[in-house]
Amino acid sequence: MLHAVLLASSALLSPPIAHRGGANARGAVRMMQAGGTQQVDGVRVGPPPDLPSLLLHNRIVYMGLSLVPSVTELIVAELLYLNYESTEKSVYMYINSPGTSSSSGQTTAFETEAFAVADTMNYIGPDIETICIGSAYGTAAMLLANGKKGTRACLPNASIMLHQPRSRARGQASDIQIKAREVLTARHVINTMLAEATGQPLEKVTLDSSRTKYLSPEQATAYGIVDKVLRSQDD
């Protein structure tokens, strides 16, 4: 039995015989590496690429988490890459994010993470079409409004919410005072961006965001955060 197994193994490991198909047979099993993807005679084999890469190939950026540094780094990198690839084709940014807070309302990152994304959106050449597909809270609502006017949208059951930055500063009184000044500065920047994007007076935006303010898709449209509600792909 052992002898038979060894003979079978040697047969499997031995090189193919030349007369079995010749050059055509060798071409049929020729494999190559192209961008990490194996191909057999031009047909892709192996595991599929990751989903973010497939979306990026179609110029789609998906923001589906809080704006922690790792998420911001990826979104900014994707925007810069798409700008390098083409400055003429639009970029589609789908947003389902609580911004720089968690879903429970606790602060997860500095507001500067959202500012980095907003500044990159304004810096690159392509138009950014923003679509809210779940929720856009706080700084995420600001990014939603920061898309190209006329192309900002949300789905029928999306939820948009305005609120001012939250601070959990602790320590000495002087440290708390420094942090408070920084929070007030961040609030002013967020409200100014929202006012410019929505056309609302800065005083109104500041008043509305001083307390948590939820907006339905229709209310967000009237407010100027989005331009339309998408009920189907034909809208």
Side-chain angles (χ1 to χ4, degrees), residues 1 46 115 131 167 229 233:
M1 178 63 73
F115 299 160
I131 305 100
S167 174
V229 180
Q233 291 186 348

Side-chain angles (χ1 to χ4, degrees), residues 23-231:
N24 291 336
R26 288 193 297 272
V29 298
R30 185 173 62 251
M31 302 181 71
M32 60 183 176
Q33 290 289 120
T37 301
Q38 288 186 335
Q39 294 185 352
V40 178
D41 281 354
V43 179
R44 190 184 153 299
V45 297
D50 60 289
L51 188 56
S53 297
L54 291 174
L55 294 175
L56 187 65
H57 178 71
N58 291 283
R59 303 185 68 80
I60 295 174
V61 175
Y62 177 55
M63 182 190 303
L65 294 169
S66 300
L67 288 173
V68 295
S70 58
V71 174
T72 301
E73 179 184 10
L74 177 61
I75 292 174
V76 169
E78 288 179 339
L79 291 175
L80 293 175
Y81 170 78
L82 292 174
N83 179 65
Y84 168 79
E85 186 182 56
S86 173
T87 58
E88 304 297 328
K89 299 179 181 178
S90 297
V91 174
Y92 306 92
M93 179 180 288
Y94 289 83
I95 299 175
N96 181 22
S97 171
T100 48
S101 301
S102 66
S103 56
S104 61
Q106 295 183 348
T107 301
T108 57
F110 292 112
E111 285 71 26
T112 49
E113 299 297 330
F115 299 160
V117 177
D119 288 343
T120 305
M121 292 171 65
N122 297 331
Y123 168 75
I124 64 176
D127 294 334
I128 310 292
E129 300 187 18
T130 52
I131 305 100
C132 177
I133 58 174
S135 61
Y137 293 167
T139 50
M142 177 198 71
L143 296 177
L144 175 64
N146 198 51
K148 179 177 173 57
K149 291 184 178 181
T151 65
R152 305 166 301 179
C154 65
L155 297 189
N157 295 307
S159 177
I160 294 98
M161 184 256 281
L162 305 179
H163 68 74
Q164 61 180 333
R166 297 180 173 92
S167 174
R168 300 180 63 188
R170 295 180 180 179
Q172 299 180 357
S174 57
D175 294 333
I176 295 176
Q177 186 178 24
I178 292 172
K179 180 58 180 176
R181 285 201 301 266
E182 186 65 21
V183 169
L184 291 175
T185 300
R187 184 183 70 173
H188 179 73
V189 173
I190 293 171
N191 291 341
T192 300
M193 287 186 176
L194 274 171
E196 293 176 353
T198 61
Q200 299 287 348
L202 177 59
E203 295 76 13
K204 176 175 173 54
V205 174
T206 301
L207 179 62
D208 290 340
S209 62
S210 62
R211 290 291 182 268
T212 299
K213 183 180 181 67
Y214 287 93
L215 300 171
S216 66
E218 291 73 20
Q219 291 171 329
T221 303
Y223 202 90
I225 296 176
V226 297
D227 303 296
K228 54 188 174 181
V229 180
L230 299 179
R231 303 188 181 277

